[in-house]
Amino acid sequence: MATDDQSRDDDTGAGSPLASLLGHGERLRVLDHHIDVDTWAGGIPQTRARVPDVRIGRRWYSTLWLIPIGLVTVVFAVALAQQLRQYDWMKTFIDTYPGTSASYAPAVTSGFPAWLRWQHLFNIVFMMFLMRAGIQILSDHPRLYLNSGCQPGTAWLRMRDPIPADRLDQSDAARVWTAKDDSVALPKWFGIPGFRHSIGLARWWHFSFDLLWLVNGLVFYVLLFASGQWRRLVPQSWDVFPNALSTAVQYASLDFGANEGFTNYNGMQIICYFATVFVFAPLAFITGLLQAPAIAARFGFGAGVFNRQVARTVHFTVLLWMVFFIAVHTTMVFITGFVGNLNHIVLGTNTHSYWALAVYAAVMAVIGVLWLIASPLTIRYPRVVQIVGRWTVGWIKWFMEWAQPKATYSEDDISPYFWPNGRVPTSERYEQLRAGGWADWSLRIQGLVENPITLSYKDILAMPKHDQITQHYCIQGWSGVAKWGGVRMSDILDLVRPLPSARWVVFYSMADAGADPEEGRYYDCHPIAHMNAPTCLLAYEMNDEPLNVTHGAPLRLRNEREIGFKQVKWIEGIEFVESFEHLGLGYGGAHEDYEFFGYRMPI
Ligand SMILES: Nc1nc2c(c(=O)[nH]1)N[C@H]1C(S)=C(S)[C@@H](COP(=O)(O)O)O[C@H]1N2
Ligand SMILES: [Mo]
């Protein structure tokens, strides 16, 4: 990867005629891409996430209360179970339903085959990265809601304070609280990579290991059913429920029955395993996909019960289940005959060899090391993470972009509050253009086109106008429905007539990309194939009003199959190019260059 950056060493040009005309390329290439957390994202202070609070009615409660509540519950459950086991009817019940029984699943006597043992190991390695990166993604918008517009004050879970009330005024673009202001940091041994607003990098980890985890899971399903091992996991009679209850009472009374896990799982075990493998795992996948603009804009999931915020909430619930499951599962492995249990899953035999313990300890040490190096390596080699991630999952994102983004919503779905994001233009020139009612502003469209043109604000207003009510999906997790009015990109294409060699469309903003002037101005590239969608718009109106400064005046992009950061605001130039390698740092946009995002963002 180093050579990739070295080759740019002497190249400090703007990359294209329009880029240099608009002042987009006077920066030096960054050669060594390691991240300095102190100056990252304009040196935002590393505000830490809080232990989550949950809202019940109008009041917020710390989830730390779960610790004493849990302890009291356990003590109470033990007392209750021990008392219950004194009664004859309970003794009869446990005799009838011993907890482990062949009545709901026949004994599987073939042991644990090697493929199953390996897959079990891969699963935990993949999930550790998946879950940590997932929590990092959550902390980039550390609130969960059930309404698609993420209206302030309606969250049910939060990992930071409420938005300062004096920063909700969207007419004050310089002061308004942005989604980036809202992100929080995690300890780097916990999230990946920990520091604030590192979602671009966290997503490569999340999606790459997600893919590995899914492939592992699919292979597992196939082998499970091909081998007959599924009989361990799928209860075949309702008897499983009284047996599960019996197991619960026995465990709670701290008097466990014999562990027959090598051939038969007890009622509780089989229900939990079944739910994890066949309910929660697929649910994680589905609720992940439901958060994708490309999928939602194809099927209209923006409003209603399948909206992104419900999907985020359910996705998070799956995480809670997985954490709970892993904690209880591991505890049970320890307290129900540790060495014997390890022999089952490490060696696949019903023996009591200490080799299994040795292998387990060695594997745990390796996992511990992997755990600890993930964040430091990401901070040291973010560009490698981006490139490897793109190589691993980029092609899938390309498939997702095929979906036609045709969903539109009704006036009733429009979000009362639409979160703002990004860095507003601060130049004097922008202020003058705005003060002059955009009379002196113009949109230059050139590059690989037959007919390069420059349009004034008036010219654009004179073109056919289209309205659409669509949903915005910020990479950070929030969403919002708004009505956009403007001109179709397909009409622009008809005017300029792109040459066959044009493959990408670059949108240049008047605003800076970041606080560091070295990052230059904001820009982003879109595949030309997206420009023909009827919903691909250059918007100058939002909710029937002229676009305000906060949301991108005078002109901003809507490409409904892509995530929010691709929707360039404060546009003043559009260029048709064959490749974007020569623009900026060459990764496809300002956030691709400096925040390590991917250039395809249908999810
Ligand atoms: N020029 C420019 N455009 C930008 C950004 C930015 O920082 N600069 N931020 C992007 C991001 S991350 C999002 S989510 C959307 C937010 O649009 P909104 O402020 O209208 O909600 O704008 C996008 N367009
Ligand atoms: Mo965003």
Side-chain angles (χ1 to χ4, degrees):
M1 295 315 141
T3 51
D4 175 59
D5 300 322
Q6 294 303 320
S7 65
R8 302 170 187 284
D9 200 356
D10 49 6
D11 177 7
T12 57
S16 87
L18 185 57
S20 58
L21 180 71
L22 299 177
H24 265 262
E26 304 300 320
R27 53 187 177 264
L28 286 165
R29 306 283 187 191
V30 177
L31 299 181
D32 187 2
H33 293 292
H34 80 266
I35 288 171
D36 176 4
V37 171
D38 293 334
T39 57
W40 171 257
I44 44 171
Q46 292 298 315
T47 312
R48 275 281 178 97
R50 269 214 315 259
V51 174
D53 295 334
V54 168
R55 184 170 58 85
I56 302 173
R58 288 195 173 177
R59 290 202 52 185
W60 288 91
Y61 299 91
S62 169
T63 48
L64 287 175
W65 279 107
L66 290 173
I67 296 173
I69 293 172
L71 286 175
V72 169
T73 308
V74 167
V75 170
F76 184 75
V78 170
L80 180 68
Q82 293 193 334
Q83 186 58 42
L84 288 179
R85 290 195 72 173
Q86 310 289 316
Y87 300 121
D88 284 341
W89 57 267
M90 179 53 81
K91 288 178 187 151
T92 317
F93 175 72
I94 291 179
D95 284 341
T96 319
Y97 300 104
T100 306
S101 156
S103 67
Y104 52 82
V108 173
T109 51
S110 50
F112 290 94
W115 60 264
L116 190 150
R117 290 179 273 133
W118 279 107
Q119 288 208 285
H120 182 259
L121 171 62
F122 290 149
N123 189 58
I124 194 60
V125 174
F126 297 161
M127 279 184 75
M128 115 180 145
F129 293 124
L130 190 58
M131 297 195 305
R132 289 176 61 198
I135 296 168
Q136 187 78 53
I137 291 170
L138 173 64
S139 53
D140 230 58
H141 190 75
R143 305 175 194 276
L144 291 172
Y145 322 75
L146 296 174
N147 68 95
S148 70
C150 305
Q151 198 181 342
T154 64
W156 69 266
L157 178 140
R158 67 179 192 207
M159 287 154 60
R160 67 169 305 150
D161 290 338
I163 306 170
D166 61 334
R167 295 192 57 188
L168 284 165
D169 177 8
Q170 301 210 345
S171 64
D172 190 348
R175 234 185 96 68
V176 72
W177 185 258
T178 67
K180 262 174 216 172
D181 291 324
D182 212 46
S183 68
V184 284
L186 294 170
K188 67 171 182 254
W189 58 263
F190 184 54
I192 301 178
F195 62 92
R196 203 169 159 198
H197 190 49
S198 54
I199 188 167
L201 293 161
R203 280 168 54 105
W204 293 121
W205 283 92
H206 193 68
F207 288 116
S208 301
F209 281 95
D210 184 33
L211 180 63
L212 293 172
W213 180 71
L214 280 172
V215 170
N216 193 51
L218 285 177
V219 172
F220 182 69
Y221 279 4
V222 171
L223 294 179
L224 206 60
F225 287 99
S227 67
Q229 291 284 336
W230 65 272
R231 290 190 181 86
R232 288 184 193 276
L233 291 187
V234 184
Q236 290 161 58
S237 117
W238 297 112
D239 260 13
V240 71
F241 289 106
N243 277 292
L245 191 63
S246 168
T247 317
V249 174
Q250 292 177 61
Y251 279 137
S253 68
L254 304 180
D255 173 22
F256 313 162
N259 173 0
E260 295 165 52
F262 193 67
T263 52
N264 292 71
Y265 293 143
N266 66 48
M268 283 243 283
Q269 243 179 325
I270 196 170
I271 289 175
C272 289
Y273 293 180
F274 179 85
T276 303
V277 173
F278 296 109
V279 179
F280 286 102
L283 200 56
F285 176 61
I286 293 165
T287 52
L289 283 184
L290 284 176
Q291 298 177 56
I295 307 274
R298 165 68 183 74
F299 296 104
F301 293 146
V305 289
F306 290 128
N307 81 62
R308 191 191 214 192
Q309 301 311 319
V310 173
R312 275 179 88 222
T313 289
V314 178
H315 206 67
F316 178 73
T317 312
V318 173
L319 170 79
L320 294 183
W321 168 262
M322 293 296 184
V323 171
F324 175 76
F325 176 83
I326 292 168
V328 175
H329 179 59
T330 312
T331 308
M332 286 302 171
V333 168
F334 273 83
I335 66 178
T336 60
F338 187 47
V339 173
N341 286 333
L342 286 182
N343 274 256
H344 299 169
I345 202 64
V346 174
L347 304 176
T349 53
N350 200 16
T351 48
H352 284 82
S353 156
Y354 280 97
W355 278 113
L357 187 61
V359 172
Y360 174 79
V363 167
M364 280 299 145
V366 172
I367 288 182
V369 170
L370 291 178
W371 181 294
L372 291 177
I373 62 177
S375 291
L377 276 183
T378 305
I379 294 169
R380 183 66 192 81
Y381 301 106
R383 200 60 86 189
V384 177
V385 171
Q386 179 188 34
I387 290 168
V388 173
R390 210 159 75 175
W391 185 82
T392 316
V393 287
W395 57 279
I396 299 181
K397 300 212 248 165
W398 181 74
F399 273 117
M400 289 177 72
E401 285 185 349
W402 275 357
Q404 278 297 329
K406 48 189 177 194
T408 54
Y409 302 95
S410 77
E411 303 262 348
D412 294 341
D413 297 322
I414 293 176
S415 307
Y417 184 87
F418 195 97
W419 277 76
N421 216 358
R423 177 163 289 269
V424 289
T426 48
S427 66
E428 225 165 88
R429 189 174 72 94
Y430 178 83
E431 191 39 43
Q432 281 164 6
L433 293 173
R434 191 196 62 78
W438 310 116
D440 297 324
W441 169 89
S442 60
L443 176 68
R444 287 172 219 265
I445 311 176
Q446 44 180 273
L448 301 173
V449 294
E450 277 176 34
N451 181 35
I453 50 172
T454 298
L455 298 173
S456 69
Y457 194 57
K458 264 197 184 153
D459 293 337
I460 290 175
L461 296 191
M463 287 177 66
K465 184 188 168 202
H466 297 273
D467 283 319
Q468 66 193 35
I469 301 176
T470 53
Q471 169 123 230
H472 179 95
Y473 295 83
C474 175
I475 194 169
Q476 296 184 261
W478 60 273
S479 49
V481 177
K483 181 174 181 181
W484 305 100
V487 296
R488 281 192 174 146
M489 270 307 290
S490 60
D491 289 341
I492 299 279
L493 260 55
D494 289 344
L495 282 179
V496 298
R497 297 190 302 277
L499 299 172
S501 54
R503 291 185 51 219
W504 294 91
V505 188
V506 194
F507 295 85
Y508 293 104
S509 175
M510 291 180 268
D512 288 340
D516 184 349
E518 198 174 280
E519 296 182 18
R521 304 257 188 85
Y522 200 90
Y523 76 100
D524 205 77
C525 304
H526 290 249
I528 195 166
H530 293 193
M531 298 296 121
N532 275 318
T535 51
C536 188
L537 221 61
L538 286 174
Y540 51 77
E541 271 184 10
M542 179 183 186
N543 297 336
D544 297 315
E545 310 249 345
L547 208 54
N548 63 17
V549 171
T550 301
H551 292 291
L555 202 64
R556 62 103 42 94
L557 179 65
R558 297 300 314 164
N559 172 0
E560 306 297 350
R561 46 186 129 197
E562 298 289 303
I563 260 173
F565 78 91
K566 310 258 336 160
Q567 323 296 342
V568 179
K569 302 194 283 188
W570 313 291
I571 295 174
E572 65 168 340
I574 301 176
E575 190 172 28
F576 291 75
V577 296
E578 193 171 349
S579 127
F580 50 69
E581 261 171 46
H582 307 290
L583 298 169
L585 296 182
Y587 297 93
H591 279 357
E592 291 88 334
D593 289 344
Y594 292 99
E595 294 188 355
F596 304 96
F597 290 5
Y599 60 82
R600 292 191 184 281
M601 280 288 172
I603 182 164

